[in-house]
Amino acid sequence: MATLTADLPPALAEIVEEFHQLTVPDRLQLLLEFSTELPPLPDRYTDHPELLEPVPECQSPIFVATEVDGSGPKAAVALYFSAPAEAPTTRGFAEILRAGLDGLTVEELLAVPVDLAQRLALEEAVSPLRLNGMTGMLARIKRQAAAKATD
Amino acid sequence: MALPYDPDPKFAEYSDPGRLVSTSWLAEHLGDEGLAVVESDEDVLLYETGHIPGSVKVDWHLDLNDRVNRDYVDGERFAELMGSRGIGRDTTIVVYGDKSNWWAAYALWVFTLFGHPDVRLLDGGRAKWQAEGRPMTTDAAKPSPVDYPVVERQDDDIRAFKDEVLAHLGEPIVDVRSAPEYTGERTHMPDYPDEGALRGGHIPGAKSVPWGRAAAEDGTFKDRASLEAIYQEEQGLSPGDDVIAYCRIGERSSHTWFVLQHLLGFGKVRNYDGSWTEWGNSVRVPIVKGEDPGSVPGAREV
């Protein structure tokens, strides 16, 4: 377990551990719980959907926006997602990322390993192909944060 | 003991009226002895968010695909799956799902590979049932396991493999993907993940008939006359033809396979489940780019 979580920020490490402690059906239930916890978009995005970036790696329509408070590697990152209720798996992935990454500094976010989705022990529960969407979301979040931190 | 057919006059027009049931028929028969309702979705968690009471979940990735071979499960695994869902060989199955029943049609097609005698689709799928405000529950069904016989999968009649498609070039092939996938502008559906095809385009000679043309706005199948207008009058296919349908991984083409086989009564329709993720990547296999079906390389005069 240590090798799976040693290089993760604490909130994310905790989520990874939580998934590993469960049986396969319970992992699916946990993902479902995450999907229900994804907060609604703030008005500044619902009024301006063009500010959100689509994530075509996901099988369902999902949009992500990254905000950086200030600039430079120590600036804090905030994440916002929009995904329909009919796409609970995608919503679950989004909430894992939000819960695990929101509030990190840009530097910490950029250091999150790209294979995060493969560490959640979800291959058996949701199939490997479906995890590609989460990897795509993470890549887009990092790119947005890096760009905004240097603005 | 099979359940009665849905006498809906729209279904009576189809060549195989017993393959569809309406939401009202299902509402009336829910809980009947001998009926199993199966939900099959693209999203693996959708069933858990709420489903038709008593329905069981079958996931195309986790339950129907073999984990090692790129193939479907074998007879033993299928028997285990069906038995564990409380489905016997004589059970009437009604399948429904998201996305206008793509995955439901795919599940029905796989069940047909195993020759399950009575398997039907819920016309309009999950979305229509919900739109009508019919009951949904988050209580997972707990069916009592039953014995399902081990039946060997029969791939000959309704499934096509790459070599068979190569031998079929020049005969009717229907590409059911979106227009940009057909022309080769892109290798996957708009807004969908790229499942990895090296080349974009279509199988030489394939006609472009996106699957969604067979569906009405509410996700139900169009009536027979409308379907005949598309596939027979416009595309020039006829029920006596030997037709192969394909898409990207065989899910959307299951929907079209269902239309041609069960609604229009075509005698020989095969779904090429390798589809573009195989064809677009294969060595020494020809493709055509652009809007025209294109000609078949080395085609012989018949």
Side-chain angles (χ1 to χ4, degrees):
Chain A
M1 182 55 68
T3 56
L4 282 173
T5 56
D7 56 351
L8 296 180
L12 218 42
E14 205 176 299
I15 292 170
V16 169
E17 278 168 22
E18 211 179 338
F19 274 105
H20 279 267
Q21 282 159 3
L22 297 172
T23 61
V24 172
D26 285 345
R27 287 173 200 166
L28 208 55
Q29 279 306 316
L30 181 58
L31 185 61
L32 182 65
E33 280 169 34
F34 274 106
S35 78
T36 61
E37 287 162 10
L38 186 69
L41 276 180
D43 290 346
R44 60 182 182 282
Y45 289 114
T46 45
D47 297 341
H48 293 279
E50 73 280 2
L51 296 173
L52 297 161
E53 180 180 348
V55 184
E57 290 86 356
C58 290
Q59 295 200 328
S60 306
I62 177 150
F63 296 86
V64 58
T66 308
E67 287 181 4
V68 176
D69 186 13
S71 65
K74 304 292 181 199
V77 177
L79 300 174
Y80 302 95
F81 295 92
S82 163
E86 312 82 70
T89 302
T90 303
R91 287 179 64 88
F93 292 159
E95 174 60 12
I96 289 171
L97 292 173
R98 200 202 59 79
L101 304 174
D102 194 70
L104 293 183
T105 65
V106 170
E107 175 174 67
E108 288 167 331
L109 171 67
L110 296 180
V112 171
V114 289
D115 67 348
L116 173 67
Q118 278 70 47
R119 299 194 190 191
L120 291 164
L122 282 169
E123 287 85 356
E124 269 182 86
V126 307
S127 90
L129 189 64
R130 285 168 167 144
L131 292 168
N132 292 349
M134 189 185 216
T135 304
M137 277 187 241
L138 178 60
R140 276 154 207 280
I141 290 165
K142 285 187 179 186
R143 192 169 41 66
Q144 285 186 15
K148 288 183 180 170
T150 53
D151 276 353
Chain B
M1 194 37 205
L3 269 76
Y5 291 149
D6 185 340
D8 188 316
K10 175 188 146 187
F11 301 158
E13 301 282 318
Y14 296 135
S15 62
D16 219 347
R19 290 291 175 175
L20 282 173
V21 301
S22 59
T23 48
S24 55
W25 182 95
L26 183 59
E28 194 182 315
H29 289 277
L30 216 51
D32 281 7
E33 183 81 15
L35 174 70
V37 184
V38 170
E39 173 159 345
S40 205
D41 298 314
E42 176 173 281
D43 192 300
V44 68
L45 269 178
L46 198 52
Y47 172 89
E48 279 77 9
T49 67
H51 49 265
I52 296 178
S55 65
V56 294
K57 170 183 171 180
V58 171
D59 183 68
W60 62 282
H61 256 306
L62 303 172
D63 297 320
L64 298 179
N65 289 359
D66 186 89
R67 301 290 175 95
V68 179
N69 291 314
R70 180 174 173 183
D71 202 352
Y72 300 102
V73 292
D74 62 15
E76 275 179 32
R77 183 71 199 92
F78 185 73
E80 262 174 53
L81 170 71
M82 300 302 261
S84 72
R85 301 299 194 272
I87 299 171
R89 189 72 175 168
D90 56 359
T91 302
T92 294
I93 304 175
V94 172
V95 197
Y96 75 99
D98 61 356
K99 308 254 172 187
S100 300
N101 276 334
W102 285 359
W103 306 97
Y106 184 82
L108 179 143
W109 177 75
V110 174
F111 292 0
T112 307
L113 291 173
F114 289 97
H116 189 89
D118 188 5
V119 52
R120 315 176 186 184
L121 277 186
L122 176 65
D123 198 24
R126 181 182 164 98
K128 186 161 192 279
W129 180 273
Q130 273 190 306
E132 291 168 350
R134 297 185 188 274
M136 302 284 278
T137 179
T138 53
D139 298 337
K142 299 263 188 303
S144 311
V146 300
D147 278 330
Y148 192 93
V150 175
V151 181
E152 207 180 318
R153 212 178 60 226
Q154 294 294 330
D155 291 332
D156 298 346
D157 293 342
I158 63 168
R159 185 179 185 194
F161 295 99
K162 188 189 84 188
D163 289 345
E164 292 168 331
V165 179
L166 272 170
H168 186 84
L169 293 181
E171 297 291 317
I173 299 178
V174 180
D175 182 322
V176 316
R177 298 172 302 160
S178 61
E181 292 172 274
Y182 179 83
T183 59
E185 190 186 315
R186 58 192 312 156
T187 54
H188 53 102
M189 265 181 284
D191 302 328
Y192 261 62
D194 187 345
E195 279 163 336
L198 288 174
R199 305 176 300 169
H202 55 264
I203 297 177
K207 298 167 186 293
S208 171
V209 193
W211 71 275
R213 294 189 62 194
E217 278 197 11
D218 62 357
T220 57
F221 289 100
K222 287 180 179 167
D223 63 27
R224 181 160 189 167
S226 308
L227 295 175
E228 284 179 350
I230 297 168
Y231 295 95
Q232 290 167 236
E233 287 151 42
E234 179 194 302
Q235 297 296 329
L237 296 171
S238 91
D241 287 343
D242 179 352
V243 184
I244 291 176
Y246 74 96
C247 58
R248 179 184 49 124
I249 55 170
E251 86 295 15
R252 286 173 286 175
S253 45
S254 296
H255 190 274
T256 297
W257 168 82
F258 184 86
V259 168
L260 295 176
Q261 172 110 9
H262 291 307
L263 305 186
L264 293 178
F266 280 47
K268 185 162 189 192
V269 189
R270 285 174 290 169
N271 183 22
Y272 169 39
D273 56 278
S275 277
W276 199 255
T277 53
E278 179 180 42
W279 195 273
N281 287 321
S282 290
V283 176
R284 288 192 157 174
V285 161
I287 65 165
V288 172
K289 284 185 177 288
E291 289 173 9
D292 291 332
S295 58
V296 177
R300 290 188 302 265
E301 291 294 320
V302 182

PDB file of all heavy atoms in Angstrom, chain B residues 141-155:
ATOM      1  N   ALA B 141     -31.898  -5.990  -6.741  1.00  0.00           N
ATOM      2  CA  ALA B 141     -32.691  -7.216  -6.757  1.00  0.00           C
ATOM      3  C   ALA B 141     -31.840  -8.357  -6.212  1.00  0.00           C
ATOM      4  O   ALA B 141     -30.636  -8.394  -6.427  1.00  0.00           O
ATOM      5  CB  ALA B 141     -33.138  -7.513  -8.178  1.00  0.00           C
ATOM      6  N   LYS B 142     -32.467  -9.254  -5.488  1.00  0.00           N
ATOM      7  CA  LYS B 142     -31.755 -10.409  -4.942  1.00  0.00           C
ATOM      8  C   LYS B 142     -32.406 -11.683  -5.478  1.00  0.00           C
ATOM      9  O   LYS B 142     -33.118 -12.366  -4.764  1.00  0.00           O
ATOM     10  CB  LYS B 142     -31.837 -10.409  -3.406  1.00  0.00           C
ATOM     11  CG  LYS B 142     -31.215  -9.200  -2.721  1.00  0.00           C
ATOM     12  CD  LYS B 142     -29.789  -9.519  -2.257  1.00  0.00           C
ATOM     13  CE  LYS B 142     -29.191  -8.424  -1.392  1.00  0.00           C
ATOM     14  NZ  LYS B 142     -29.154  -7.095  -2.025  1.00  0.00           N
ATOM     15  N   PRO B 143     -32.170 -11.991  -6.751  1.00  0.00           N
ATOM     16  CA  PRO B 143     -32.836 -13.164  -7.319  1.00  0.00           C
ATOM     17  C   PRO B 143     -32.289 -14.459  -6.715  1.00  0.00           C
ATOM     18  O   PRO B 143     -31.113 -14.528  -6.355  1.00  0.00           O
ATOM     19  CB  PRO B 143     -32.482 -13.083  -8.802  1.00  0.00           C
ATOM     20  CG  PRO B 143     -31.234 -12.268  -8.874  1.00  0.00           C
ATOM     21  CD  PRO B 143     -31.254 -11.339  -7.697  1.00  0.00           C
ATOM     22  N   SER B 144     -33.154 -15.446  -6.591  1.00  0.00           N
ATOM     23  CA  SER B 144     -32.672 -16.756  -6.159  1.00  0.00           C
ATOM     24  C   SER B 144     -31.976 -17.404  -7.344  1.00  0.00           C
ATOM     25  O   SER B 144     -32.537 -17.453  -8.431  1.00  0.00           O
ATOM     26  CB  SER B 144     -33.837 -17.653  -5.732  1.00  0.00           C
ATOM     27  OG  SER B 144     -34.668 -16.934  -4.854  1.00  0.00           O
ATOM     28  N   PRO B 145     -30.753 -17.890  -7.110  1.00  0.00           N
ATOM     29  CA  PRO B 145     -30.021 -18.511  -8.228  1.00  0.00           C
ATOM     30  C   PRO B 145     -30.786 -19.713  -8.781  1.00  0.00           C
ATOM     31  O   PRO B 145     -31.449 -20.431  -8.031  1.00  0.00           O
ATOM     32  CB  PRO B 145     -28.707 -18.964  -7.589  1.00  0.00           C
ATOM     33  CG  PRO B 145     -28.580 -18.175  -6.330  1.00  0.00           C
ATOM     34  CD  PRO B 145     -29.981 -17.883  -5.869  1.00  0.00           C
ATOM     35  N   VAL B 146     -30.713 -19.880 -10.081  1.00  0.00           N
ATOM     36  CA  VAL B 146     -31.335 -21.035 -10.724  1.00  0.00           C
ATOM     37  C   VAL B 146     -30.287 -21.701 -11.613  1.00  0.00           C
ATOM     38  O   VAL B 146     -29.209 -21.161 -11.818  1.00  0.00           O
ATOM     39  CB  VAL B 146     -32.563 -20.626 -11.574  1.00  0.00           C
ATOM     40  CG1 VAL B 146     -33.630 -19.965 -10.725  1.00  0.00           C
ATOM     41  CG2 VAL B 146     -32.154 -19.703 -12.714  1.00  0.00           C
ATOM     42  N   ASP B 147     -30.639 -22.870 -12.136  1.00  0.00           N
ATOM     43  CA  ASP B 147     -29.724 -23.558 -13.042  1.00  0.00           C
ATOM     44  C   ASP B 147     -29.985 -23.101 -14.465  1.00  0.00           C
ATOM     45  O   ASP B 147     -31.111 -23.153 -14.948  1.00  0.00           O
ATOM     46  CB  ASP B 147     -29.928 -25.080 -12.963  1.00  0.00           C
ATOM     47  CG  ASP B 147     -29.184 -25.661 -11.767  1.00  0.00           C
ATOM     48  OD1 ASP B 147     -28.135 -25.085 -11.404  1.00  0.00           O
ATOM     49  OD2 ASP B 147     -29.663 -26.662 -11.207  1.00  0.00           O
ATOM     50  N   TYR B 148     -28.930 -22.665 -15.114  1.00  0.00           N
ATOM     51  CA  TYR B 148     -29.029 -22.335 -16.535  1.00  0.00           C
ATOM     52  C   TYR B 148     -28.112 -23.323 -17.244  1.00  0.00           C
ATOM     53  O   TYR B 148     -26.970 -23.517 -16.827  1.00  0.00           O
ATOM     54  CB  TYR B 148     -28.568 -20.896 -16.791  1.00  0.00           C
ATOM     55  CG  TYR B 148     -28.905 -20.388 -18.175  1.00  0.00           C
ATOM     56  CD1 TYR B 148     -30.083 -19.677 -18.403  1.00  0.00           C
ATOM     57  CD2 TYR B 148     -28.057 -20.608 -19.256  1.00  0.00           C
ATOM     58  CE1 TYR B 148     -30.405 -19.203 -19.668  1.00  0.00           C
ATOM     59  CE2 TYR B 148     -28.381 -20.147 -20.530  1.00  0.00           C
ATOM     60  CZ  TYR B 148     -29.553 -19.440 -20.734  1.00  0.00           C
ATOM     61  OH  TYR B 148     -29.877 -18.971 -21.992  1.00  0.00           O
ATOM     62  N   PRO B 149     -28.584 -23.968 -18.287  1.00  0.00           N
ATOM     63  CA  PRO B 149     -27.749 -24.996 -18.920  1.00  0.00           C
ATOM     64  C   PRO B 149     -26.520 -24.382 -19.591  1.00  0.00           C
ATOM     65  O   PRO B 149     -26.547 -23.225 -20.008  1.00  0.00           O
ATOM     66  CB  PRO B 149     -28.680 -25.611 -19.963  1.00  0.00           C
ATOM     67  CG  PRO B 149     -29.696 -24.556 -20.247  1.00  0.00           C
ATOM     68  CD  PRO B 149     -29.868 -23.785 -18.966  1.00  0.00           C
ATOM     69  N   VAL B 150     -25.447 -25.154 -19.662  1.00  0.00           N
ATOM     70  CA  VAL B 150     -24.265 -24.705 -20.394  1.00  0.00           C
ATOM     71  C   VAL B 150     -24.533 -24.917 -21.884  1.00  0.00           C
ATOM     72  O   VAL B 150     -24.689 -26.052 -22.340  1.00  0.00           O
ATOM     73  CB  VAL B 150     -23.011 -25.485 -19.950  1.00  0.00           C
ATOM     74  CG1 VAL B 150     -21.811 -25.101 -20.810  1.00  0.00           C
ATOM     75  CG2 VAL B 150     -22.730 -25.220 -18.476  1.00  0.00           C
ATOM     76  N   VAL B 151     -24.648 -23.830 -22.593  1.00  0.00           N
ATOM     77  CA  VAL B 151     -24.941 -23.886 -24.026  1.00  0.00           C
ATOM     78  C   VAL B 151     -23.764 -23.280 -24.761  1.00  0.00           C
ATOM     79  O   VAL B 151     -23.297 -22.199 -24.415  1.00  0.00           O
ATOM     80  CB  VAL B 151     -26.215 -23.069 -24.353  1.00  0.00           C
ATOM     81  CG1 VAL B 151     -26.528 -23.149 -25.837  1.00  0.00           C
ATOM     82  CG2 VAL B 151     -27.391 -23.539 -23.520  1.00  0.00           C
ATOM     83  N   GLU B 152     -23.275 -23.970 -25.759  1.00  0.00           N
ATOM     84  CA  GLU B 152     -22.141 -23.440 -26.503  1.00  0.00           C
ATOM     85  C   GLU B 152     -22.575 -22.241 -27.349  1.00  0.00           C
ATOM     86  O   GLU B 152     -23.639 -22.250 -27.952  1.00  0.00           O
ATOM     87  CB  GLU B 152     -21.571 -24.542 -27.409  1.00  0.00           C
ATOM     88  CG  GLU B 152     -20.108 -24.350 -27.692  1.00  0.00           C
ATOM     89  CD  GLU B 152     -19.576 -25.448 -28.595  1.00  0.00           C
ATOM     90  OE1 GLU B 152     -19.943 -26.635 -28.396  1.00  0.00           O
ATOM     91  OE2 GLU B 152     -18.796 -25.110 -29.495  1.00  0.00           O
ATOM     92  N   ARG B 153     -21.737 -21.238 -27.375  1.00  0.00           N
ATOM     93  CA  ARG B 153     -22.042 -20.044 -28.162  1.00  0.00           C
ATOM     94  C   ARG B 153     -21.999 -20.388 -29.644  1.00  0.00           C
ATOM     95  O   ARG B 153     -21.119 -21.108 -30.093  1.00  0.00           O
ATOM     96  CB  ARG B 153     -20.985 -18.985 -27.856  1.00  0.00           C
ATOM     97  CG  ARG B 153     -21.458 -17.558 -27.906  1.00  0.00           C
ATOM     98  CD  ARG B 153     -20.349 -16.597 -27.545  1.00  0.00           C
ATOM     99  NE  ARG B 153     -19.234 -16.736 -28.460  1.00  0.00           N
ATOM    100  CZ  ARG B 153     -17.954 -16.815 -28.080  1.00  0.00           C
ATOM    101  NH1 ARG B 153     -17.631 -16.743 -26.807  1.00  0.00           N
ATOM    102  NH2 ARG B 153     -17.007 -16.957 -28.971  1.00  0.00           N
ATOM    103  N   GLN B 154     -22.967 -19.863 -30.393  1.00  0.00           N
ATOM    104  CA  GLN B 154     -23.001 -20.110 -31.841  1.00  0.00           C
ATOM    105  C   GLN B 154     -22.705 -18.809 -32.569  1.00  0.00           C
ATOM    106  O   GLN B 154     -23.560 -17.948 -32.689  1.00  0.00           O
ATOM    107  CB  GLN B 154     -24.389 -20.638 -32.256  1.00  0.00           C
ATOM    108  CG  GLN B 154     -24.723 -22.014 -31.696  1.00  0.00           C
ATOM    109  CD  GLN B 154     -23.828 -23.112 -32.255  1.00  0.00           C
ATOM    110  OE1 GLN B 154     -23.346 -23.028 -33.394  1.00  0.00           O
ATOM    111  NE2 GLN B 154     -23.577 -24.151 -31.455  1.00  0.00           N
ATOM    112  N   ASP B 155     -21.469 -18.673 -33.030  1.00  0.00           N
ATOM    113  CA  ASP B 155     -21.072 -17.412 -33.650  1.00  0.00           C
ATOM    114  C   ASP B 155     -21.371 -17.340 -35.152  1.00  0.00           C
ATOM    115  O   ASP B 155     -21.194 -16.307 -35.765  1.00  0.00           O
ATOM    116  CB  ASP B 155     -19.559 -17.195 -33.455  1.00  0.00           C
ATOM    117  CG  ASP B 155     -19.203 -16.914 -32.000  1.00  0.00           C
ATOM    118  OD1 ASP B 155     -20.065 -16.367 -31.283  1.00  0.00           O
ATOM    119  OD2 ASP B 155     -18.072 -17.228 -31.599  1.00  0.00           O
TER     120      ASP B 155
END
